[in-house]
Amino acid sequence: MYGDTEIFLADRAFLSLLLSSVEVYKRECHGILLGFKTTRRIIVEYAIPFQTAERKFNEVIPNWKKELKVKTVLPNLVHLQILGGFHSHPQFGKKRGEAKLSSTDKSYLEEGNIEIVIAINDEKKTCPWAETGNGLAGTIGGYHIALAGFYKRAKDQKIANYRIVCPYAVGFDYALKK
Ligand SMILES: [Zn+2]
């Protein structure tokens, strides 16, 4: 079940999530989400992949978030704040990546932050981009990609699955044709 709040993905943030996960496949990508919050919406304006992290398959190295240089320059960027992060769960052999938090992911999710998990798997068929039961999914160039967004509440540390709204993604199939 979704929480009350929804995550709104700007088109450039959506593209960045897709391209980051495709670029390093079959390793994990990760990065931070920048934007702002309104009463019922968390608006993700940018998804910035973390470039210099050591990227090994299936190994979560979350401590880099604490050392991020962007955190020191961010106060100079008007109106944007760090909303949380993202990372991918790529297919490993026959085991398909899933768009949900692992127990390690859950323990590293900071309260008040969102985390978008990107499941990326090989896929021969094409499937139009649409909202699914827990997020957004579709295909791009031989990959099936599913996104799901999570938020850890400060008051009781509960993690909720938030709906991801991205009008651009839903029209994305048209954008891919010519
Ligand atoms: Zn994970």
Side-chain angles (χ1 to χ4, degrees):
M1 267 283 99
Y2 289 126
D4 300 336
T5 307
E6 54 190 33
I7 297 168
F8 183 91
L9 275 187
D11 51 1
R12 59 180 167 246
F14 171 72
L15 278 179
S16 176
L17 292 173
L18 293 201
L19 297 176
S20 305
S21 48
V22 166
E23 188 199 352
V24 299
Y25 189 70
K26 301 182 167 184
R27 289 174 298 160
E28 288 188 5
C29 71
H30 47 221
I32 56 162
L33 302 171
L34 301 180
F36 56 97
K37 292 176 182 170
T38 66
T39 328
R40 304 290 294 273
R41 270 191 167 175
I42 297 172
I43 319 272
V44 181
E45 294 270 19
Y46 298 95
I48 316 285
F50 190 58
Q51 305 287 356
T52 57
E54 197 180 345
R55 285 186 285 209
K56 290 181 187 163
F57 173 74
N58 210 14
E59 200 172 295
V60 187
I61 314 157
N63 284 333
W64 61 270
K65 280 182 192 167
K66 295 194 169 65
E67 295 143 25
L68 216 52
K69 283 194 188 125
V70 72
K71 284 194 178 178
T72 56
V73 302
L74 201 64
N76 302 321
L77 299 171
V78 265
H79 89 267
L80 292 178
Q81 62 182 105
I82 295 178
L83 302 168
F86 67 90
H87 71 283
S88 64
H89 286 169
Q91 181 171 332
F92 180 62
K94 287 212 162 62
K95 193 178 180 296
R96 292 177 70 82
E98 293 183 289
K100 56 188 191 188
L101 296 173
S102 69
S103 48
T104 315
D105 293 340
K106 283 178 188 166
S107 63
Y108 276 99
L109 182 53
E110 289 174 38
E111 61 177 55
N113 276 6
I114 57 169
E115 183 76 21
I116 292 181
V117 177
I118 308 148
I120 173 166
N121 292 288
D122 296 323
E123 181 62 67
K124 291 197 178 72
K125 291 179 287 196
T126 59
C127 138
W129 279 86
E131 286 195 37
T132 59
N134 71 335
L136 272 182
T139 49
I140 179 174
Y143 304 104
H144 183 272
I145 294 178
L147 311 176
F150 303 91
Y151 177 81
K152 189 182 262 185
R153 278 204 310 223
K155 64 174 178 186
D156 55 7
Q157 307 289 302
K158 273 213 172 121
I159 295 176
N161 179 203
Y162 279 178
R163 180 181 177 212
I164 297 180
V165 177
C166 184
Y168 178 72
V170 176
F172 193 57
D173 306 300
Y174 303 103
L176 284 176
K177 289 172 192 153
K178 283 172 207 151

mmCIF file of all heavy atoms in Angstrom, residues 28 60 87-89 100-102 105 117, ligand 1:
data_model
loop_
_atom_site.group_PDB
_atom_site.id
_atom_site.type_symbol
_atom_site.label_atom_id
_atom_site.label_comp_id
_atom_site.label_asym_id
_atom_site.label_seq_id
_atom_site.Cartn_x
_atom_site.Cartn_y
_atom_site.Cartn_z
ATOM 1 N N GLU A 28 25.973 -2.291 -9.766
ATOM 2 C CA GLU A 28 24.983 -1.376 -9.188
ATOM 3 C C GLU A 28 25.404 0.061 -9.437
ATOM 4 O O GLU A 28 26.583 0.386 -9.326
ATOM 5 C CB GLU A 28 24.903 -1.565 -7.668
ATOM 6 C CG GLU A 28 24.238 -2.843 -7.242
ATOM 7 C CD GLU A 28 24.014 -2.890 -5.721
ATOM 8 O OE1 GLU A 28 24.287 -1.883 -5.031
ATOM 9 O OE2 GLU A 28 23.582 -3.938 -5.242
ATOM 10 N N VAL A 60 26.676 -3.152 -1.365
ATOM 11 C CA VAL A 60 26.211 -1.808 -1.033
ATOM 12 C C VAL A 60 27.298 -1.088 -0.247
ATOM 13 O O VAL A 60 27.809 -1.604 0.730
ATOM 14 C CB VAL A 60 24.916 -1.863 -0.200
ATOM 15 C CG1 VAL A 60 24.346 -0.477 0.005
ATOM 16 C CG2 VAL A 60 23.901 -2.757 -0.889
ATOM 17 N N HIS A 87 19.634 3.658 -6.003
ATOM 18 C CA HIS A 87 20.604 2.658 -6.453
ATOM 19 C C HIS A 87 19.877 1.586 -7.237
ATOM 20 O O HIS A 87 18.661 1.478 -7.190
ATOM 21 C CB HIS A 87 21.413 2.094 -5.284
ATOM 22 C CG HIS A 87 20.654 1.204 -4.348
ATOM 23 N ND1 HIS A 87 19.787 1.694 -3.401
ATOM 24 C CD2 HIS A 87 20.621 -0.141 -4.225
ATOM 25 C CE1 HIS A 87 19.265 0.690 -2.721
ATOM 26 N NE2 HIS A 87 19.737 -0.446 -3.202
ATOM 27 N N SER A 88 20.666 0.810 -7.997
ATOM 28 C CA SER A 88 20.048 -0.208 -8.853
ATOM 29 C C SER A 88 20.265 -1.603 -8.288
ATOM 30 O O SER A 88 21.222 -1.850 -7.545
ATOM 31 C CB SER A 88 20.611 -0.111 -10.275
ATOM 32 O OG SER A 88 21.993 -0.393 -10.296
ATOM 33 N N HIS A 89 19.361 -2.475 -8.635
ATOM 34 C CA HIS A 89 19.469 -3.907 -8.344
ATOM 35 C C HIS A 89 19.512 -4.631 -9.685
ATOM 36 O O HIS A 89 18.470 -4.905 -10.271
ATOM 37 C CB HIS A 89 18.259 -4.394 -7.536
ATOM 38 C CG HIS A 89 18.263 -3.964 -6.104
ATOM 39 N ND1 HIS A 89 17.173 -4.099 -5.278
ATOM 40 C CD2 HIS A 89 19.246 -3.404 -5.344
ATOM 41 C CE1 HIS A 89 17.480 -3.643 -4.068
ATOM 42 N NE2 HIS A 89 18.718 -3.200 -4.077
ATOM 43 N N LYS A 100 12.815 -3.575 -4.645
ATOM 44 C CA LYS A 100 12.466 -3.425 -3.234
ATOM 45 C C LYS A 100 13.734 -3.299 -2.401
ATOM 46 O O LYS A 100 14.828 -3.621 -2.871
ATOM 47 C CB LYS A 100 11.591 -4.577 -2.764
ATOM 48 C CG LYS A 100 12.164 -5.951 -2.961
ATOM 49 C CD LYS A 100 11.103 -6.991 -2.629
ATOM 50 C CE LYS A 100 11.722 -8.381 -2.555
ATOM 51 N NZ LYS A 100 10.710 -9.424 -2.414
ATOM 52 N N LEU A 101 13.582 -2.840 -1.190
ATOM 53 C CA LEU A 101 14.743 -2.616 -0.332
ATOM 54 C C LEU A 101 15.209 -3.929 0.279
ATOM 55 O O LEU A 101 14.401 -4.711 0.775
ATOM 56 C CB LEU A 101 14.382 -1.647 0.801
ATOM 57 C CG LEU A 101 14.002 -0.215 0.427
ATOM 58 C CD1 LEU A 101 13.515 0.537 1.666
ATOM 59 C CD2 LEU A 101 15.170 0.530 -0.204
ATOM 60 N N SER A 102 16.518 -4.160 0.243
ATOM 61 C CA SER A 102 17.081 -5.299 0.970
ATOM 62 C C SER A 102 17.129 -4.927 2.449
ATOM 63 O O SER A 102 16.909 -3.768 2.815
ATOM 64 C CB SER A 102 18.489 -5.596 0.458
ATOM 65 O OG SER A 102 19.353 -4.540 0.844
ATOM 66 N N ASP A 105 19.630 -2.269 2.791
ATOM 67 C CA ASP A 105 19.091 -0.990 2.314
ATOM 68 C C ASP A 105 18.235 -0.337 3.391
ATOM 69 O O ASP A 105 18.320 0.866 3.627
ATOM 70 C CB ASP A 105 18.211 -1.201 1.076
ATOM 71 C CG ASP A 105 19.007 -1.657 -0.139
ATOM 72 O OD1 ASP A 105 20.229 -1.449 -0.156
ATOM 73 O OD2 ASP A 105 18.385 -2.222 -1.058
ATOM 74 N N VAL A 117 14.711 2.575 -5.680
ATOM 75 C CA VAL A 117 15.409 1.360 -6.092
ATOM 76 C C VAL A 117 15.030 1.074 -7.543
ATOM 77 O O VAL A 117 13.855 1.123 -7.912
ATOM 78 C CB VAL A 117 15.019 0.168 -5.188
ATOM 79 C CG1 VAL A 117 15.708 -1.098 -5.673
ATOM 80 C CG2 VAL A 117 15.411 0.442 -3.748
HETATM 81 ZN ZN ZN B 1 19.733 -2.395 -2.586
#
